[in-house]
Amino acid sequence: MNILFIGDIVGDRAVTELCSWLPGFRAERHVGLVVANAENCAPTGLGMAEAQVRELLAAGVDVITGGNHSWDSEESVKLLELPQVLRPLNIGAHISGRGLLRLDTPAGEVTVVNLADHSAMRSVKAIEDTFRPAYGAWRDADPRGLVLVDYHGDHVLEKQIFARAVDGVATAVLGTHSHEATIPLHVLPGGTGFVTEVGMTGPADGVQGFSYDILVKGLRETGDPFSGGIPGPSGGPVVLGAVLLETDGKRTVRVERITW
């Protein structure tokens, strides 16, 4: 089965451009499953918005994953009730949302797991206190069938160690959160596909997809780039950050970067 994984989607323009492209690509490349990290898909770039989530699902995204921005607004939190929308698994069970989804596909059962590292989650104070290590949550998750992991984190080392630890069990570990794609595309010895950072689907002329003027002004004038608030997504051309996995049973046999 061919699986498309789309990195952090930033803003509503990115959603619109992605959704106009996705159905044709899915048909052309015989994609059986599409997973997208969309925690930044709201027009502000912070959290999710219902219009954009519905647009993604209608265009052919099967599962939406998240991270530290999954709780940025009441609307975003409400969307965690949708069965197709995940947030990191390794936080308290009493926190809204779920971190694992099992679904049936023509290729058999698929488990999608959303994990995060502590550095990614520390900005969410109400949730940080419930954080547990990703590997412990993984070990208790009972993943079955073909297993995809969105590992939302800052630390390259943690992502790479985790991928090695689950090699041969997970079909793929795909890194998100930093928005800056890494070059190497790995198929580990046990058959686990691994990309340290898939990259961003959003405006390429900003910082992590966001306009930078206010941030630069804040840094220059106060030493704090966020003293003037967080700006919205940049207005420049949108780029795609994604990878296409070719799988055979529960193993990945090929990883291809997809971009425009």
Side-chain angles (χ1 to χ4, degrees):
M1 178 167 68
N2 290 333
I3 300 169
L4 181 67
F5 185 92
I6 301 164
D8 300 62
I9 303 169
V10 180
D12 53 342
R13 285 198 308 118
V15 171
T16 299
E17 294 198 29
L18 175 67
C19 290
S20 68
W21 166 85
L22 181 57
F25 181 83
R26 184 164 187 167
E28 177 188 346
R29 298 297 297 269
H30 307 288
V31 176
L33 182 70
V34 179
V35 180
N37 187 296
E39 64 158 4
N40 297 114
C41 75
T44 61
L46 301 175
M48 299 175 289
E50 183 171 4
Q52 281 67 49
V53 166
R54 298 291 185 188
E55 191 175 353
L56 289 167
L57 295 174
V61 174
D62 298 294
V63 183
I64 290 173
T65 55
N68 53 302
H69 289 288
S70 294
W71 297 269
D72 276 359
S73 67
E74 291 184 9
E75 185 176 16
S76 189
V77 172
K78 182 69 174 176
L79 289 164
L80 294 175
E81 297 176 6
L82 294 176
Q84 306 98 319
V85 178
L86 300 181
R87 49 77 168 155
L89 175 68
N90 51 318
I91 58 174
H94 64 286
I95 304 295
S96 54
R98 62 190 61 78
L100 179 149
L101 177 64
R102 294 189 177 96
L103 59 162
D104 294 322
T105 74
E109 187 174 27
V110 173
T111 302
V112 181
V113 182
N114 198 171
L115 296 169
D117 71 11
H118 183 259
S119 63
M121 298 302 294
R122 63 189 176 191
S123 63
V124 193
K125 296 303 180 186
I127 289 170
E128 183 189 18
D129 292 341
T130 76
F131 178 87
R132 59 181 299 208
Y135 189 74
W138 159 268
R139 192 171 47 202
D140 296 339
D142 187 26
R144 305 170 193 168
L146 189 156
V147 182
L148 301 176
V149 179
D150 175 343
Y151 197 112
H152 199 73
D154 273 323
H155 284 297
V156 171
L157 191 65
E158 288 189 24
K159 291 179 180 180
Q160 293 183 350
I161 293 170
F162 179 86
R164 293 286 179 174
V166 302
D167 184 24
V169 181
T171 304
V173 177
L174 294 318
T176 60
H177 182 59
S178 74
H179 294 205
E180 191 76 4
T182 51
I183 293 173
L185 305 174
H186 306 274
V187 177
L188 302 180
T192 295
F194 173 59
V195 183
T196 303
E197 175 59 51
V198 173
M200 173 192 69
T201 299
D205 64 335
V207 291
Q208 289 195 318
F210 292 85
S211 298
Y212 60 84
D213 291 349
I214 292 174
L215 301 172
V216 170
K217 184 174 185 290
L219 180 62
R220 287 174 174 170
E221 295 182 355
T222 71
D224 177 6
F226 303 106
S227 60
I230 299 176
S234 178
V238 171
V239 297
L240 171 69
V243 293
L244 185 67
L245 307 170
E246 181 184 341
T247 65
D248 183 5
K250 298 179 183 180
R251 295 170 59 93
T252 293
V253 296
R254 183 171 179 269
V255 184
E256 176 186 356
R257 183 165 290 286
I258 306 295
T259 189
W260 23 259

